[in-house]
Amino acid sequence: MKTPSDPVFPFVASRRQFIKVTGLAVGAIALPAWDCESAQAGLSLSEKHDLADIAVSTARRLGASYADIRINRYRAESITTRERQVQNVSRNENFGFGVRVLVKGTWGFAASNNVTAREVRRVTRQAVDIARANARFQRKPVELVPVDKAVDTWKSAFKEDPFDVPLDEKIAFLLAINDAALKIDGVSFVNSSMSWVNEQKFYGSTDGSRIEQYIIRGYPSFTVTAVDRSTNDFQTRTALGGPQCMGYEYVREHDVVTLSLIHI
């Protein structure tokens, strides 16, 4: 018995990125807002449903027995500090969609970063054309079993979205960790950082499924090096608990400064 495959297809993405390496303090860094060049990343759930309907109806009209569309937005932010300086701040964002179709038992796929109704129709036609071209080399047609539709919206378990927290506040938090460590005798070097990832995924198919996911992951990190100048011996310790599927409460609801210093 065969079931629908679910490969991870890359899609063409629109990206905006900013990187700064300097000794700037809090309040001196200006980053672009969290939206893609086309400002399409703020699509509502109903708009995504409409685009899914367009992809599905277009694919069916062109002879596809199955079709699905994925509209994905990925955001990532990373802040790195050393002692009393900001070393690096970066943001990047990917946004786009991909359409997969099954025509005469053969897969076809196409994608774009221009998320509009007109582009969805064009990309769906392109995916069908690719499937028809691939059919010449398909030795055994793909067969899908019927599945029940799934309509749901799901968010990972987090209390506070880190992408809603001002950048200055995040930088101030990291510099406070560094400052606390530097007050301890022997501590010469301190590095702290935090990285956040947001995945927004929408899926719609000819089965009637419409699923939206919103996922947050965070990774704060802290490393301190103490040096004994009399012996030139040094010890390095890394604290904090590693990557977690948590929001900004990961650092806000824990006394990270105290927990970090325990390890020095």
Side-chain angles (χ1 to χ4, degrees):
M1 179 180 295
K2 296 180 180 179
T3 58
S5 59
D6 187 25
V8 179
F9 289 109
F11 60 86
V12 181
S14 175
R15 172 171 292 189
R16 174 181 291 182
Q17 186 170 16
F18 174 93
I19 298 177
K20 189 75 174 180
V21 181
T22 182
L24 296 178
V26 181
I29 297 179
L31 287 176
W34 279 115
D35 58 351
C36 289
E37 301 287 348
S38 60
Q40 297 170 342
L43 288 177
S44 67
L45 181 57
S46 63
E47 289 172 321
K48 295 175 184 177
H49 277 265
D50 291 341
L51 293 176
D53 292 341
I54 291 172
V56 166
S57 61
T58 302
R60 281 176 168 163
R61 179 172 54 82
L62 296 175
S65 59
Y66 172 86
D68 61 43
I69 182 173
R70 290 167 171 82
I71 304 173
N72 294 345
R73 180 191 186 192
Y74 301 102
R75 295 184 293 175
E77 180 182 73
S78 177
I79 307 167
T80 303
T81 70
R82 176 171 179 173
E83 285 84 62
R84 294 182 172 89
Q85 295 181 331
V86 177
Q87 293 291 104
N88 183 64
V89 177
S90 67
R91 282 178 172 176
N92 64 72
E93 180 174 16
N94 299 331
F95 182 61
F97 74 95
V99 176
R100 183 177 60 162
V101 300
L102 189 63
V103 180
K104 296 181 179 180
T106 306
W107 289 114
F109 176 80
S112 174
N113 68 326
N114 184 17
V115 190
T116 64
R118 181 176 181 179
E119 186 72 352
V120 168
R121 293 187 181 93
R122 185 194 70 79
V123 167
T124 302
R125 290 193 296 267
Q126 184 179 28
V128 171
D129 290 341
I130 292 173
R132 288 173 176 165
N134 290 340
R136 298 171 52 193
F137 308 97
Q138 186 77 20
R139 295 184 178 181
K140 186 178 181 180
V142 175
E143 298 177 6
L144 304 180
V145 299
V147 296
D148 295 331
K149 71 175 183 180
V151 180
D152 201 0
T153 298
W154 180 85
K155 283 189 176 185
S156 60
F158 66 89
K159 297 179 181 179
E160 184 176 10
D161 194 328
F163 293 91
D164 292 335
V165 178
L167 177 64
D168 285 357
E169 182 175 337
K170 298 171 185 174
I171 292 175
F173 173 84
L174 293 176
L175 293 179
I177 293 179
N178 298 357
D179 187 63
L182 290 170
K183 292 178 180 178
I184 297 176
D185 291 340
V187 171
S188 300
F189 307 103
V190 186
N191 298 90
S192 62
S193 65
M194 60 173 68
S195 299
W196 305 100
V197 175
N198 173 217
E199 299 180 7
Q200 301 173 36
K201 305 177 181 181
F202 175 84
Y203 168 85
S205 73
T206 49
D207 300 321
S209 293
R210 300 290 187 271
I211 304 170
E212 185 174 54
Q213 296 178 316
Y214 192 100
I215 302 169
I216 290 290
R217 299 195 304 274
Y219 183 21
S221 182
F222 172 86
T223 301
V224 59
T225 299
V227 180
D228 186 341
R229 301 296 180 181
S230 63
T231 62
N232 290 327
D233 184 30
F234 69 93
Q235 297 290 330
T236 298
R237 295 290 184 270
T238 299
L240 303 179
Q244 300 286 338
C245 194
M246 299 176 65
Y248 200 71
E249 68 275 4
Y250 191 177
V251 295
R252 195 185 295 281
E253 295 183 2
H254 298 82
D255 189 355
V256 180
V257 174
T258 300
L259 291 175
S260 301
L261 300 183
I262 289 175
H263 295 267
I264 298 178

